[in-house]
Amino acid sequence: MHEDRESCLRAVRSRDTRFDGWFTTAVTSTGIYCRPSCPATPPRAEHVVFYPSAAAAQAAGFRACKRCRPDASPGSPEWNAREDLVARAMRLVADGVVDRDGVDGLARRLGYSARQVERLVTAELGVGPLALARAQRAQTARILVETTDLPMAEVAFAAGFSSVRSFNDTVRAVFAETPTHLRRRVRRSPTVGGRRDAGHVPPSDPTGSQRLRLRLPFRAPLHAPSLFGHLAATAVPGIERWVDGSLERTLRLPRGAGLVRLHPPRDGDRHVTADLWLQDLRDLTTAINRCRRCLDLDADPAAVDEVLSADPALAPAVAARPGVRLPGTVDPVEFAVRAVLGQQVSTAAAATTTGRLVRGLGEPLPPSLVLRPGQPDLLFPRVADLAAVGPDDPRLPGMPASRRRALLALATAAADGSLDLGADAVRDGVRARLDALPGVGPWTREVIALRGLGDPDAFPVTDLGVRAGAAALGLPVDQRGLLARAEDWRPWRAYAVQALWAATTHPVATLPVQTQEIA
């Protein structure tokens, strides 16, 4: 979008928040880059240059606006929807692959040479993977500076910098302030950009674990009741809990474990509040990205609602629930296992069965993260451990033999790498691999694509809740007729599923009463 100068200028003049994260506005007369919605007086057109990302603006020598904080904008939904090399690279960079494995590791994951990846990403975004990772490290550092009392040297290494000197140089270049000045300014002022800041949160738990309170921004509107209602209704005992109006769950991260509590936004908020406790602070960036994907916070609700509202049958449902999101997952492999366990049973039964699997094969959360009685205190089983058990292992929950075979086949494929469900997964390739597994049919495949991979066009047409919703809205109920009607909903068929589920009589109004595998 940044190449359409007139459209970008109109967005800046209107201060339209829908375009935050789609591009950045750099002002040559001040050396500052902003969100499109920055509340400052719009600059003169001849002084404006547009960039596709904050990293590109930083690489060109611009520093972040202190008023609108463009480094904390929602992410571009383009990278979640597209499946080309650059989009896959962006998802891996966001998941911390470059910081952990370097550009060579990123290239290996993508199946290209490092030179090819560098060339293609630079051609699309104006900067290469290292600059993108540097911008992400700068934002992680800012979060740690502003929300913890960690010494600056610990902040530097936790954010992924190789030295304190590079940390200081980057923070000064990006934010035009030293790390110490950033921390002092936040302590002095409870607001940033005219909004209540998440602020400093001191260690307050009996274990001494430090809580990081973060704001996860999104594009309004967001229909929180359906999103959090779905996640609460499908919560698995031991790893997830809905308590005091918030979703709490454990996280298995690259360097250690974590615990997160996600609070739905209050009226007028444009962010979800997340409380994070991490065994290793270097996992902060990855944890943030996975929570964002779980809540589908980088979606563009205006684009989705515009397409779905064009269908007269869906229009009333869309108008009643604007800004519906896809309930996702923090771990696609975990969700794939949960989808198999949920075949042909109710939502409640699926959660109970999965809870038994977690108790049998899951790992206890490290003691430093066990903060209070009753909280989730187990980590979902490693897929390698699940693949290693025999079909008669007593730690497996009771289920039909055919489903047990399907579960172990999926775990084996995920463990040996033949089924790749990572951030760079190619969705059509995943579908083909799932189709080849025994006991995995259309419903399981599409539900994994929808919730596990966040595919905005996934469409489990065989789902009983989808068909019940179609009947309630006067849409075709037969699979062929419903698929034909759904062609007009592309590329947002997964969001149409949320409208169809909402049309059923389920008490959460977001879930099918029952799911069914139809091979």
Side-chain angles (χ1 to χ4, degrees):
M1 180 177 177
H2 71 286
E3 296 176 346
D4 187 344
R5 183 175 176 81
E6 287 305 312
S7 295
C8 289
L9 284 170
R10 286 196 297 272
V12 171
R13 292 189 190 109
S14 66
R15 297 188 176 97
D16 194 332
T17 57
R18 290 179 301 167
F19 296 104
D20 287 353
W22 280 103
F23 65 91
T24 60
T25 306
V27 185
T28 57
S29 57
T30 62
I32 291 172
Y33 75 92
C34 302
R35 306 179 187 224
S37 66
C38 183
T41 302
R44 297 173 61 175
E46 60 266 29
H47 294 159
V48 172
V49 181
F50 298 108
Y51 290 96
S53 65
Q58 292 169 17
F62 294 91
R63 62 186 185 274
C65 174
K66 296 177 184 178
R67 188 169 182 183
C68 70
R69 297 187 61 163
D71 52 300
S73 294
S76 171
E78 185 175 17
W79 310 128
N80 286 335
R82 281 169 45 179
E83 290 203 82
D84 56 27
L85 176 77
V86 174
R88 292 167 58 209
M90 285 290 288
R91 294 197 289 268
L92 287 172
V93 170
D95 204 45
V97 168
V98 171
D99 286 333
R100 294 193 298 272
D101 304 323
V103 176
D104 287 338
L106 173 69
R108 285 194 298 272
R109 286 285 300 268
L110 295 169
Y112 287 77
S113 70
R115 184 175 180 180
Q116 285 175 303
V117 172
E118 183 81 32
R119 177 175 58 82
L120 291 169
V121 171
T122 302
E124 180 88 13
L125 295 169
V127 291
L130 281 177
L132 294 169
R134 175 179 178 266
Q136 187 166 267
R137 284 196 296 273
Q139 170 61 5
T140 301
R142 183 173 194 162
I143 291 170
L144 292 171
V145 166
E146 293 180 347
T147 65
T148 75
D149 280 328
L150 288 174
M152 293 301 177
E154 292 186 34
V155 169
F157 293 113
F161 290 95
S162 58
S163 69
V164 175
R165 181 176 180 177
S166 64
F167 159 68
N168 287 327
D169 290 345
T170 297
V171 170
R172 275 195 294 264
V174 173
F175 304 117
E177 288 186 284
T178 65
T180 301
H181 285 157
L182 272 179
R183 180 168 281 175
R184 286 175 181 166
R185 183 160 59 83
V186 170
R187 299 295 191 269
R188 287 195 305 267
S189 173
T191 61
V192 174
R195 295 168 298 173
R196 179 67 55 178
D197 185 56
H200 168 64
V201 178
S204 58
D205 294 301
T207 62
S209 294
Q210 182 133 16
R211 175 175 59 172
L212 305 176
R213 170 158 284 187
L214 315 174
R215 295 188 309 180
L216 308 181
F218 58 81
R219 293 172 185 81
L222 182 147
H223 194 267
S226 62
L227 174 61
F228 282 88
H230 194 137
L231 295 171
T234 56
V236 172
I239 61 170
E240 296 170 318
R241 182 176 70 151
W242 179 259
V243 59
D244 296 332
S246 300
L247 181 71
E248 197 172 59
R249 72 150 294 150
T250 60
L251 302 171
R252 186 186 290 281
L253 298 163
R255 295 182 175 94
L259 178 73
V260 65
R261 188 179 300 134
L262 298 166
H263 307 271
R266 296 167 298 184
D267 290 344
D269 283 351
R270 291 183 178 270
H271 63 269
V272 170
T273 300
D275 291 327
L276 268 170
W277 294 263
L278 299 174
Q279 191 176 14
D280 190 321
L281 281 174
R282 291 175 297 173
D283 282 327
L284 176 60
T285 298
T286 301
I288 292 172
N289 180 61
R290 293 185 183 180
C291 290
R292 294 190 64 83
R293 291 185 66 187
C294 179
L295 301 179
D296 195 21
L297 296 184
D298 292 323
D300 185 346
V304 173
D305 291 356
E306 180 182 8
V307 170
L308 299 185
S309 294
D311 189 313
L314 290 182
V318 174
R321 303 152 64 87
V324 164
R325 298 300 205 270
L326 301 181
T329 181
V330 296
D331 185 345
V333 175
E334 172 194 306
F335 184 78
V337 171
R338 292 170 62 166
V340 170
L341 291 172
Q343 293 174 355
Q344 296 181 314
V345 297
S346 68
T347 299
T352 299
T353 300
T354 308
R356 290 171 181 158
L357 178 73
V358 169
R359 287 195 300 273
L361 291 168
E363 301 170 36
L365 201 64
S368 63
L369 299 180
V370 180
L371 311 177
R372 62 193 56 82
Q375 72 162 72
D377 58 359
L378 294 169
L379 294 171
F380 197 83
R382 296 181 186 275
V383 70
D385 295 338
L386 181 55
V389 305
D392 298 322
D393 193 300
R395 292 173 295 175
L396 292 177
M399 67 184 84
S402 59
R403 194 177 311 149
R404 186 168 295 201
R405 286 193 297 270
L407 175 68
L408 297 180
L410 182 140
T412 300
D416 66 22
S418 59
L419 174 63
D420 181 8
L421 295 169
D424 59 324
V426 179
R427 291 160 185 154
D428 286 345
V430 170
R431 284 181 168 89
R433 185 68 185 94
L434 288 170
D435 283 339
L437 295 176
V440 175
W443 180 84
T444 307
R445 178 194 67 213
E446 289 303 304
V447 167
I448 290 173
L450 192 155
R451 288 198 60 188
L453 303 180
D455 184 352
D457 204 38
F459 193 62
V461 69
T462 61
D463 184 86
L464 295 183
V466 167
R467 292 158 66 184
L473 296 178
L475 293 163
V477 178
D478 64 290
Q479 293 182 32
R480 182 175 297 179
L482 187 54
L483 284 172
R485 182 68 170 265
E487 285 296 308
D488 293 336
W489 307 337
R490 287 191 155 186
W492 311 118
R493 293 187 302 176
Y495 294 89
V497 169
Q498 312 308 307
L500 295 172
W501 279 344
T504 68
T505 57
H506 192 277
V508 177
T510 57
L511 301 172
V513 177
Q514 185 181 16
T515 52
Q516 182 173 349
E517 184 61 84
I518 301 177

